[in-house]
Amino acid sequence: LFRIERISETYINDYLPDLLVDQLAYQTGRVFYPLLIETDYAGKFSGIHNWKEIQERWAGVREKIELYFKGKEVRKYLELTESILDSKEELDELFANDLFFHTYFTSIYQNYTSLFMLESEKSYPVMGKINPLKFSVEQQLCKELTDYQAIKIIHTGRMVDERTVRDLEQGENYPIHKMVYPWLEPAKGTYKAYYTLNHRTRQIRTIDARWELELSKKKTVEVKIHQLDSDPGSQDSFIIEEGTQKKKSGFFSTLFGD
């Protein structure tokens, strides 16, 4: 199990949330912490362990939110949140398709064979709410430790999703345009990521991941997670960046924000 706590404020572009929607998302997100994450032996996300506990916290969190936030849209937002909390399957899917969680809780703890390399197909939620994009990924375990004595794993991938550029730009979950116009080529894209791990504990220290999609206008998505220096025995804290937005928190930031 991984225990995740929000131990500091969340910043968007180095500022505390000031827009109403950001403040609402931040306050609503408090219901999840502390959060217990279940993973498989390879480190891949498999579900939320303390779902019932989160449900029990919700009534108190909602009551406090309704003291400060009013209006039809607020009620709609809270009802949507409550409907998700009522279903463990929906909640697990929401976290599994969050790019931060998806990138951190991935299958890196594996047998890399005598070649120090693995090949597999992975999917990444880099296009918002539509189904994640499929990539063929080569995972390479570096034979030597880095200069600062860390284990390094390199991911190199190319997109193998059947959807076309038009499918992706129109938010399709399936290759609809490919079926209608068979001559259309699938969209192209690449993926590169660098993971470093503490060589003694095998805990992740840094992640630097980048996806580039060749759409009508080139789309680049970046996720950077860096462990902050801390005193021995203290809780781990991370800086997390996605694209041009920087979010600083004890671990992960607001879940329901755009």
Side-chain angles (χ1 to χ4, degrees):
L1 290 180
F2 287 80
R3 180 184 175 94
I4 300 172
E5 295 206 45
R6 178 185 283 172
I7 59 175
S8 65
E9 299 290 352
T10 296
Y11 292 79
I12 301 177
N13 294 331
D14 294 325
Y15 293 95
L16 287 168
D18 56 350
L19 297 177
L20 179 63
V21 65
D22 291 331
Q23 293 175 7
L24 178 58
Y26 177 74
Q27 295 301 327
T28 303
R30 289 181 179 274
V31 72
F32 296 109
Y33 302 95
L35 178 68
L36 297 180
I37 297 290
E38 296 177 356
T39 67
D40 61 18
Y41 287 108
K44 184 178 179 180
F45 175 90
S46 60
I48 304 300
H49 182 76
N50 60 332
W51 168 60
K52 285 293 185 182
E53 181 183 317
I54 292 170
Q55 281 188 311
E56 292 169 0
R57 287 199 292 258
W58 172 242
V61 171
R62 178 166 185 166
E63 183 178 350
K64 290 180 180 179
I65 290 173
E66 289 177 328
L67 290 175
Y68 299 98
F69 297 90
K70 308 292 182 180
K72 181 179 178 181
E73 292 302 316
V74 172
R75 289 194 300 273
K76 182 179 177 181
Y77 186 91
L78 295 178
E79 288 168 3
L80 173 61
T81 302
E82 191 162 313
S83 70
I84 293 174
L85 294 178
D86 284 340
S87 168
K88 186 178 188 306
E89 289 73 21
E90 284 192 42
L91 188 61
D92 285 346
E93 182 179 358
L94 184 68
F95 275 85
N97 289 324
D98 177 272
L99 190 55
F100 291 149
F101 281 79
H102 196 93
T103 304
Y104 191 91
F105 295 105
T106 190
S107 303
I108 59 173
Y109 303 107
Q110 301 188 69
N111 180 359
Y112 285 83
T113 75
S114 59
L115 299 177
F116 294 87
M117 189 176 297
L118 292 173
E119 291 186 10
S120 62
E121 187 174 282
K122 293 179 176 289
S123 298
Y124 297 99
V126 291
M127 284 293 292
K129 296 182 179 179
I130 67 174
N131 287 347
L133 305 186
K134 295 179 181 178
F135 287 77
S136 176
V137 179
E138 180 183 277
Q139 302 178 77
Q140 179 184 358
L141 174 64
C142 295
K143 297 180 181 180
E144 305 293 335
L145 297 179
T146 66
D147 291 341
Y148 49 94
Q149 299 299 297
I151 298 169
K152 189 172 186 178
I153 299 172
I154 302 173
H155 286 187
T156 304
R158 61 181 179 82
M159 196 162 80
V160 293
D161 203 280
E162 295 183 358
R163 284 170 286 182
T164 66
V165 169
R166 190 178 300 178
D167 288 323
L168 297 181
E169 291 181 340
Q170 293 184 4
E172 302 290 354
N173 286 320
Y174 304 98
I176 304 298
H177 292 89
K178 182 74 172 178
M179 298 175 187
V180 179
Y181 308 105
W183 58 86
L184 290 178
E185 294 291 327
K188 297 180 179 179
T190 59
Y191 160 63
K192 193 79 173 184
Y194 301 90
Y195 287 74
T196 63
L197 284 63
N198 184 298
H199 75 280
R200 289 190 297 270
T201 66
R202 303 297 193 268
Q203 290 180 331
I204 293 174
R205 292 184 56 178
T206 68
I207 301 174
D208 191 341
R210 180 185 180 95
W211 296 262
E212 293 186 348
L213 309 179
E214 297 180 19
L215 306 180
S216 297
K217 183 179 180 180
K218 184 176 179 181
K219 179 181 178 71
T220 300
V221 179
E222 293 182 293
V223 170
K224 298 183 180 182
I225 302 175
H226 299 278
Q227 185 176 12
L228 299 176
D229 292 333
S230 58
D231 295 328
S234 66
Q235 292 177 304
D236 289 338
S237 186
F238 293 81
I239 284 183
I240 306 167
E241 300 178 49
E242 178 182 13
T244 58
Q245 290 189 328
K246 179 184 294 185
K247 303 178 181 181
K248 180 179 179 181
S249 64
F251 203 84
F252 296 102
S253 54
T254 303
L255 182 62
F256 285 93
D258 292 332

Coordinates of all heavy atoms in Angstrom, one line a residue, residues 150-190:
A150 N 21.9 6.6 -8.4 CA 20.5 6.2 -8.6 C 20.3 5.2 -9.7 O 21.1 5.2 -10.6 CB 19.6 7.4 -8.9
I151 N 19.3 4.4 -9.6 CA 19.0 3.5 -10.7 C 18.2 4.3 -11.7 O 17.3 5.1 -11.4 CB 18.1 2.3 -10.2 CG1 18.8 1.5 -9.1 CG2 17.6 1.4 -11.3 CD1 17.9 0.5 -8.4
K152 N 18.5 4.0 -13.0 CA 17.8 4.8 -14.1 C 17.1 3.8 -15.0 O 17.7 2.8 -15.5 CB 18.9 5.6 -14.9 CG 18.2 6.6 -15.9 CD 19.3 7.5 -16.4 CE 18.7 8.6 -17.3 NZ 19.7 9.5 -17.8
I153 N 15.9 4.1 -15.3 CA 15.1 3.3 -16.3 C 14.6 4.3 -17.4 O 14.1 5.4 -17.1 CB 13.9 2.7 -15.6 CG1 14.3 1.7 -14.5 CG2 13.0 2.0 -16.7 CD1 13.2 1.2 -13.7
I154 N 14.8 3.9 -18.6 CA 14.4 4.8 -19.8 C 13.3 4.1 -20.6 O 13.4 2.9 -20.9 CB 15.6 5.0 -20.7 CG1 16.8 5.6 -19.9 CG2 15.2 5.9 -21.9 CD1 18.1 5.8 -20.7
H155 N 12.3 4.9 -20.8 CA 11.1 4.4 -21.7 C 11.2 5.1 -23.0 O 11.3 6.3 -23.1 CB 9.8 4.7 -21.0 CG 9.5 3.9 -19.8 ND1 8.2 3.9 -19.2 CD2 10.2 3.0 -19.2 CE1 8.2 3.1 -18.2 NE2 9.4 2.5 -18.2
T156 N 11.1 4.4 -24.1 CA 11.1 4.9 -25.4 C 9.9 4.3 -26.2 O 9.8 3.1 -26.3 CB 12.4 4.6 -26.2 OG1 13.5 5.1 -25.5 CG2 12.4 5.3 -27.6
G157 N 9.0 5.1 -26.7 CA 7.8 4.5 -27.3 C 7.3 5.3 -28.5 O 7.7 6.4 -28.8
R158 N 6.5 4.6 -29.3 CA 5.9 5.1 -30.5 C 4.4 4.8 -30.4 O 4.0 3.7 -30.0 CB 6.5 4.7 -31.8 CG 6.4 3.2 -32.0 CD 7.1 2.7 -33.3 NE 7.0 1.3 -33.5 CZ 5.9 0.6 -33.9 NH1 4.8 1.3 -34.3 NH2 5.9 -0.7 -34.0
M159 N 3.6 5.7 -30.9 CA 2.1 5.5 -30.8 C 1.7 4.4 -31.8 O 2.1 4.4 -33.0 CB 1.4 6.8 -31.0 CG -0.1 6.7 -30.6 SD -0.8 8.4 -30.3 CE -1.1 8.8 -32.0
V160 N 0.9 3.5 -31.3 CA 0.3 2.4 -32.2 C -1.2 2.4 -32.2 O -1.8 1.4 -32.5 CB 0.9 1.0 -31.8 CG1 2.4 1.0 -32.1 CG2 0.6 0.7 -30.4
D161 N -1.8 3.5 -31.7 CA -3.2 3.6 -31.7 C -3.8 3.7 -33.1 O -3.2 4.3 -34.0 CB -3.6 4.9 -30.9 CG -5.0 4.8 -30.3 OD1 -6.0 5.0 -31.0 OD2 -5.1 4.5 -29.1
E162 N -5.0 3.1 -33.3 CA -5.6 3.0 -34.6 C -6.3 4.3 -35.0 O -6.7 4.5 -36.1 CB -6.5 1.8 -34.7 CG -5.8 0.5 -34.6 CD -6.8 -0.7 -34.8 OE1 -8.0 -0.4 -35.0 OE2 -6.3 -1.8 -34.8
R163 N -6.6 5.2 -34.0 CA -7.3 6.4 -34.3 C -6.5 7.4 -35.2 O -5.3 7.5 -35.0 CB -7.8 7.0 -33.0 CG -8.9 6.3 -32.3 CD -9.2 6.8 -30.9 NE -8.2 6.3 -30.0 CZ -8.2 6.6 -28.7 NH1 -9.2 7.3 -28.2 NH2 -7.3 6.1 -27.9
T164 N -7.3 8.1 -36.0 CA -6.6 9.1 -36.9 C -6.6 10.4 -36.2 O -7.1 10.6 -35.1 CB -7.5 9.3 -38.2 OG1 -8.7 9.8 -37.8 CG2 -7.7 7.9 -38.9
V165 N -5.9 11.4 -36.8 CA -5.8 12.7 -36.2 C -7.2 13.3 -36.0 O -7.5 13.9 -35.0 CB -5.0 13.7 -37.2 CG1 -5.1 15.1 -36.7 CG2 -3.5 13.2 -37.2
R166 N -8.1 13.1 -37.0 CA -9.4 13.6 -36.9 C -10.2 12.9 -35.7 O -10.9 13.6 -35.0 CB -10.2 13.3 -38.2 CG -11.6 14.1 -38.2 CD -12.2 13.8 -39.6 NE -11.4 14.3 -40.7 CZ -11.8 14.2 -42.0 NH1 -12.9 13.6 -42.3 NH2 -11.0 14.7 -42.9
D167 N -10.0 11.6 -35.5 CA -10.6 11.0 -34.4 C -10.2 11.6 -33.1 O -11.0 11.9 -32.2 CB -10.2 9.5 -34.4 CG -10.9 8.7 -35.5 OD1 -12.0 8.9 -35.8 OD2 -10.2 7.8 -36.0
L168 N -8.9 11.8 -32.9 CA -8.4 12.3 -31.7 C -8.8 13.8 -31.4 O -9.2 14.1 -30.3 CB -6.9 12.3 -31.6 CG -6.3 10.9 -31.7 CD1 -4.7 10.9 -31.7 CD2 -6.8 10.0 -30.6
E169 N -8.8 14.6 -32.5 CA -9.2 16.0 -32.3 C -10.7 16.1 -32.1 O -11.1 17.1 -31.5 CB -8.8 16.8 -33.5 CG -7.3 16.9 -33.6 CD -6.8 17.7 -34.8 OE1 -7.5 17.8 -35.8 OE2 -5.6 18.2 -34.8
Q170 N -11.5 15.2 -32.5 CA -12.9 15.2 -32.3 C -13.4 14.4 -31.0 O -14.5 14.2 -30.8 CB -13.7 14.7 -33.5 CG -13.5 15.7 -34.7 CD -14.3 15.2 -35.9 OE1 -15.1 14.2 -35.9 NE2 -14.2 15.9 -37.0
G171 N -12.4 13.9 -30.3 CA -12.7 13.3 -29.0 C -13.3 11.9 -29.2 O -14.1 11.5 -28.3
E172 N -12.9 11.2 -30.2 CA -13.5 9.8 -30.4 C -12.7 8.8 -29.6 O -11.5 8.8 -29.5 CB -13.4 9.4 -31.9 CG -14.1 10.4 -32.8 CD -15.7 10.3 -32.7 OE1 -16.1 9.5 -31.9 OE2 -16.3 11.2 -33.3
N173 N -13.4 7.8 -29.0 CA -12.8 6.7 -28.3 C -12.4 5.6 -29.2 O -11.6 4.7 -28.8 CB -13.8 6.2 -27.2 CG -13.9 7.2 -26.0 OD1 -12.9 7.7 -25.6 ND2 -15.1 7.4 -25.5
Y174 N -12.9 5.6 -30.4 CA -12.6 4.5 -31.4 C -12.3 5.1 -32.7 O -12.6 6.2 -33.0 CB -13.8 3.6 -31.5 CG -14.3 3.0 -30.1 CD1 -15.4 3.6 -29.4 CD2 -13.6 2.0 -29.5 CE1 -15.7 3.1 -28.2 CE2 -14.0 1.5 -28.3 CZ -15.1 2.1 -27.6 OH -15.4 1.6 -26.4
P175 N -11.6 4.3 -33.6 CA -11.2 4.8 -34.9 C -12.4 4.9 -35.9 O -12.4 4.3 -36.9 CB -10.2 3.8 -35.4 CG -10.6 2.5 -34.7 CD -11.1 2.9 -33.4
I176 N -13.3 5.9 -35.6 CA -14.5 6.0 -36.4 C -14.2 6.4 -37.8 O -14.7 5.9 -38.8 CB -15.4 7.1 -35.7 CG1 -15.8 6.7 -34.3 CG2 -16.7 7.3 -36.6 CD1 -16.5 5.4 -34.2
H177 N -13.3 7.4 -38.0 CA -13.0 8.0 -39.3 C -12.2 6.9 -40.1 O -12.3 6.9 -41.3 CB -12.2 9.3 -39.2 CG -13.1 10.4 -38.7 ND1 -13.2 10.7 -37.3 CD2 -13.9 11.3 -39.3 CE1 -14.0 11.7 -37.2 NE2 -14.5 12.1 -38.3
K178 N -11.4 6.1 -39.5 CA -10.7 5.1 -40.1 C -11.7 4.0 -40.8 O -11.4 3.5 -41.8 CB -9.8 4.4 -39.1 CG -8.9 3.3 -39.7 CD -7.8 3.8 -40.6 CE -6.8 2.7 -41.0 NZ -5.7 3.2 -41.8
M179 N -12.8 3.8 -40.1 CA -13.8 2.9 -40.6 C -14.5 3.4 -41.8 O -14.8 2.7 -42.8 CB -14.8 2.6 -39.5 CG -14.2 1.9 -38.3 SD -15.5 1.7 -37.0 CE -14.5 1.1 -35.6
V180 N -14.7 4.7 -41.8 CA -15.4 5.4 -42.9 C -14.5 5.7 -44.1 O -14.8 5.5 -45.3 CB -16.1 6.7 -42.5 CG1 -16.8 7.4 -43.6 CG2 -17.0 6.4 -41.3
Y181 N -13.2 6.1 -43.7 CA -12.2 6.4 -44.8 C -11.0 5.6 -44.5 O -10.0 6.0 -43.9 CB -11.8 7.9 -44.7 CG -13.0 8.8 -44.7 CD1 -13.5 9.5 -43.5 CD2 -13.7 9.1 -45.9 CE1 -14.5 10.3 -43.5 CE2 -14.8 9.9 -45.9 CZ -15.2 10.6 -44.7 OH -16.3 11.4 -44.7
P182 N -11.0 4.3 -45.0 CA -9.9 3.4 -44.7 C -8.5 3.8 -45.1 O -7.5 3.3 -44.6 CB -10.3 2.1 -45.6 CG -11.8 2.3 -45.8 CD -12.0 3.8 -45.9
W183 N -8.4 4.8 -46.0 CA -7.1 5.2 -46.5 C -6.4 6.2 -45.5 O -5.2 6.5 -45.6 CB -7.2 5.9 -47.9 CG -8.1 7.1 -47.9 CD1 -7.8 8.4 -47.6 CD2 -9.5 7.1 -48.2 NE1 -8.9 9.2 -47.7 CE2 -10.0 8.4 -48.1 CE3 -10.4 6.1 -48.6 CZ2 -11.3 8.7 -48.4 CZ3 -11.7 6.4 -48.9 CH2 -12.2 7.7 -48.7
L184 N -7.2 6.7 -44.5 CA -6.6 7.6 -43.6 C -5.6 6.8 -42.7 O -5.8 5.7 -42.2 CB -7.7 8.2 -42.7 CG -8.6 9.2 -43.3 CD1 -9.7 9.7 -42.3 CD2 -7.9 10.4 -43.9
E185 N -4.5 7.5 -42.4 CA -3.4 6.9 -41.6 C -3.7 7.2 -40.1 O -4.2 8.2 -39.8 CB -2.0 7.5 -42.0 CG -1.6 7.1 -43.4 CD -1.2 5.7 -43.5 OE1 -0.7 5.1 -42.5 OE2 -1.4 5.1 -44.6
P186 N -3.3 6.2 -39.3 CA -3.4 6.5 -37.8 C -2.5 7.7 -37.4 O -1.5 8.0 -38.1 CB -2.9 5.2 -37.2 CG -3.0 4.2 -38.2 CD -2.8 4.9 -39.5
A187 N -2.9 8.4 -36.4 CA -2.1 9.5 -35.9 C -0.8 9.0 -35.4 O -0.6 7.8 -35.0 CB -2.8 10.2 -34.8
K188 N 0.2 9.8 -35.5 CA 1.6 9.4 -35.0 C 2.0 10.2 -33.8 O 1.5 11.3 -33.5 CB 2.6 9.7 -36.1 CG 2.4 8.9 -37.4 CD 3.4 9.3 -38.5 CE 3.2 8.5 -39.7 NZ 4.2 8.8 -40.8
G189 N 2.8 9.5 -33.0 CA 3.3 10.2 -31.8 C 4.4 9.4 -31.1 O 4.7 8.2 -31.5
T190 N 5.1 10.1 -30.2 CA 6.3 9.5 -29.6 C 6.2 9.7 -28.1 O 5.5 10.6 -27.6 CB 7.6 10.0 -30.1 OG1 7.6 11.5 -29.8 CG2 7.8 9.8 -31.6

